[in-house]
Amino acid sequence: MNSARSWLVWGAGALAYIIAILHRSSLGVAGPDAAARFEVQATLLATLGAVQIGVYAAMQVPVGVLLDRYGPRVLIASGAIIMAGGQVLVALAEELPLAVAGRILIGIGDAATFISVIRLQSGWFRGPIVAQMSQWTAVGGQFGQLASAVPFAWFLQQAGWTLSFGTLAILGVGAFVLVLLLVFDAPPGGAPATGSIDVPEGWWPRLKAAFRQPGTRLGFWTHFSLLASTNVFMLLWGFPMLVDGLGYTTTAAAGLMSVVVITGMIVGPVVGIATARFPLRRSTLVLCIVALVMATWSVVLLWPGHPPGWLVLTLVIVLGIAGPGSTVGFDFARTFNPLRILGSANGIVNIGGFLASFAIMPAIGILLDIVHSVRVSNGEQVGLYDWEGFRIALSSQLVLLVLGFVMVVRMRRITRSKMREEGLEVGPIWTAVAHWLRDRRR
């Protein structure tokens, strides 16, 4: 365990995940091009982004069950080749339905990747480093976001739609081959078990056993609370908001989206170390980040006129922090479930953020169209992606943030109640800080 081979296997899986994120986020910088290519308005453009997220969320439980049955190697390789096929359809699409079909395939393949890599690292690593590995995997995925925000956005403008998305398909085939050559589910002798419950027989009892764990549901609401806002910004509406709503150049917008990625790469390891060192305070960290996201969006949306540059920069930094915060949900699943049903537990957790994303992406598009129609009917000369329209449409995500915050508080209370029944008491946070400071002075 924790050998050079462990890192090689994980590295190959993480690279497949990086390419999966590149597939997923490629549409985020292609929004204006997609609107022009398929001649669609905001609602239909939102459908193109939301259908992938919806499929991703819907596939999490089936993929989790298949992961427990067949292992991460099969799932990661299958996901890579399915996404490659999806990008071929997107590259060749002249009409919206074929592009939607391609994004559905990308959603299916993408759904199989992240939770499989999480399961893979639990099979190859042991000890405190396991709590940090999820963050390192997520940090790896940020390279895919960065690749879409800068080089892919540039390549799309230079080479055009078909060649750009066709190149992504070739990368998917490369990931498929790499996984088949290097990735195996566990080292000889198997992997250590985690969690504290017996493993039932059959996929349905295992799925129910994972869901019944309060820690799994705490992970679900953690992911729900913190991923959606970043997803909405990075995968679809951030680029139009910055370019058309706030008047930034495409280069400046790509730079700001890169700040989200770079922030996540910096903060991710810090969150991983914090969760490993203070495992009983993970939910407090989550609640603080959710509150920070809510407060920042509220200030941006309530600011008179266009928000200043420093405030927009603050927003993208906070969104970059939210991404690693959402990954804490998988650490909850890991510590409350045995390895044999961890795929199902991770699938349940992963539904959270993408279910919220699926709900809010089309809602923003619908609200943009409604606000635009009302203002035009009132005689105003405004564009579809006017900032005032974005101000109203983007405020809808605050509803999900408040819901997520409340549910994290509730599930934390239930989880800690069960921990007390098992003899583990979680004291006030100031007591934990005092103990930590005392240990540091020794």
Side-chain angles (χ1 to χ4, degrees):
M1 292 290 180
N2 303 356
S3 63
R5 189 183 180 194
S6 300
W7 289 99
L8 178 64
V9 171
W10 172 79
L15 182 59
Y17 176 57
I18 291 172
I19 295 174
I21 292 293
L22 178 56
H23 287 310
R24 180 197 302 174
S25 56
S26 56
L27 185 63
V29 297
D33 295 83
R37 183 179 180 88
F38 304 123
E39 298 179 349
V40 295
Q41 291 187 322
T43 300
L44 288 178
L45 181 60
T47 301
L48 184 59
V51 68
Q52 175 195 340
I53 298 301
V55 169
Y56 184 104
M59 287 297 297
Q60 285 308 301
V61 169
V63 164
V65 171
L66 291 172
L67 180 56
D68 289 333
R69 176 76 179 272
Y70 296 106
R73 181 174 187 260
V74 171
L75 270 293
I76 298 172
S78 300
I81 200 66
I82 290 171
M83 283 186 283
Q87 290 290 26
V88 170
L89 294 183
V90 173
L92 299 177
E94 296 288 344
E95 301 292 337
L96 185 64
L98 186 59
V100 169
R103 297 305 289 188
I104 288 173
L105 289 179
I106 292 171
I108 293 171
D110 189 14
T113 306
F114 181 68
I115 64 172
S116 298
V117 178
I118 295 293
R119 166 69 182 274
L120 184 72
Q121 67 199 26
S122 296
W124 281 90
F125 293 88
R126 70 168 68 194
I129 195 174
V130 179
Q132 302 177 40
M133 292 304 298
S134 296
Q135 292 295 342
W136 283 113
T137 299
V139 166
Q142 298 297 321
F143 284 102
Q145 291 271 22
L146 191 62
S148 68
V150 183
F152 180 75
W154 174 85
F155 190 54
L156 178 64
Q157 300 304 315
Q158 301 301 314
W161 183 279
T162 300
L163 182 57
S164 299
F165 284 95
T167 301
L168 295 184
I170 295 173
L171 289 176
V173 174
F176 170 76
V177 173
L178 185 69
V179 170
L180 291 182
L181 291 176
L182 297 180
V183 172
F184 296 91
D185 294 346
T194 59
S196 59
I197 64 174
D198 295 330
V199 179
E201 293 298 328
W203 70 268
W204 179 244
R206 287 172 181 162
L207 182 62
K208 289 195 296 184
F211 183 77
R212 280 198 300 264
Q213 282 295 311
T216 304
R217 284 173 281 152
L218 177 58
F220 171 92
W221 287 108
T222 294
H223 208 245
F224 181 99
S225 303
L226 287 174
L227 188 67
S229 191
T230 302
N231 264 354
V232 165
F233 188 87
M234 294 298 292
L235 300 185
L236 189 59
W237 291 119
F239 207 77
M241 183 197 94
L242 293 171
V243 175
D244 297 320
L246 295 177
Y248 287 91
T249 65
T250 56
T251 301
L256 285 167
M257 295 182 77
S258 299
V259 171
V260 179
V261 178
I262 294 170
T263 301
M265 295 169 66
I266 295 171
V267 173
V270 176
V271 172
I273 293 171
T275 54
R277 185 167 296 175
F278 306 106
L280 299 181
R281 305 298 166 182
R282 293 171 293 182
S283 59
T284 301
L285 175 63
V286 168
L287 290 172
C288 289
I289 298 176
V290 177
L292 180 63
V293 174
M294 285 192 293
T296 306
W297 267 119
S298 297
V299 173
V300 169
L301 297 176
L302 292 173
W303 193 274
H306 286 194
W310 65 264
L311 184 54
V312 175
L313 179 62
T314 301
L315 173 65
V316 296
I317 290 173
V318 169
L319 292 177
I321 295 171
S326 70
T327 308
V328 177
F330 297 100
D331 204 48
F332 289 129
R334 179 186 63 82
T335 52
F336 286 94
N337 292 277
L339 187 64
R340 190 65 184 85
I341 62 171
L342 188 55
S344 298
N346 283 336
I348 292 170
V349 170
N350 214 21
I351 288 173
F354 290 93
L355 180 64
S357 303
F358 176 68
I360 203 63
M361 275 186 180
I364 290 172
I366 292 169
L367 286 171
L368 280 171
D369 283 340
I370 291 174
V371 172
H372 178 258
S373 298
V374 170
R375 297 180 70 190
V376 169
S377 66
N378 290 335
E380 296 185 54
Q381 299 295 320
V382 294
L384 176 61
Y385 294 143
D386 180 75
W387 170 241
E388 293 305 316
F390 268 117
R391 190 197 300 273
I392 295 172
L394 289 171
S395 64
S396 59
Q397 64 188 309
L398 295 173
V399 176
L400 295 184
L401 286 166
V402 172
L403 173 62
F405 186 91
V406 171
M407 291 305 298
V408 169
V409 171
R410 179 174 182 271
M411 290 313 307
R412 177 171 78 162
R413 186 180 300 116
I414 295 173
T415 302
R416 289 184 172 181
S417 176
K418 182 169 183 179
M419 292 168 64
R420 280 194 298 272
E421 293 175 1
E422 296 176 352
L424 182 58
E425 180 71 32
V426 181
I429 189 170
W430 52 83
T431 303
V433 172
H435 288 166
W436 180 75
L437 291 173
R438 183 185 60 196
D439 293 339
R440 294 283 294 177
R441 286 195 295 267
R442 288 178 179 174

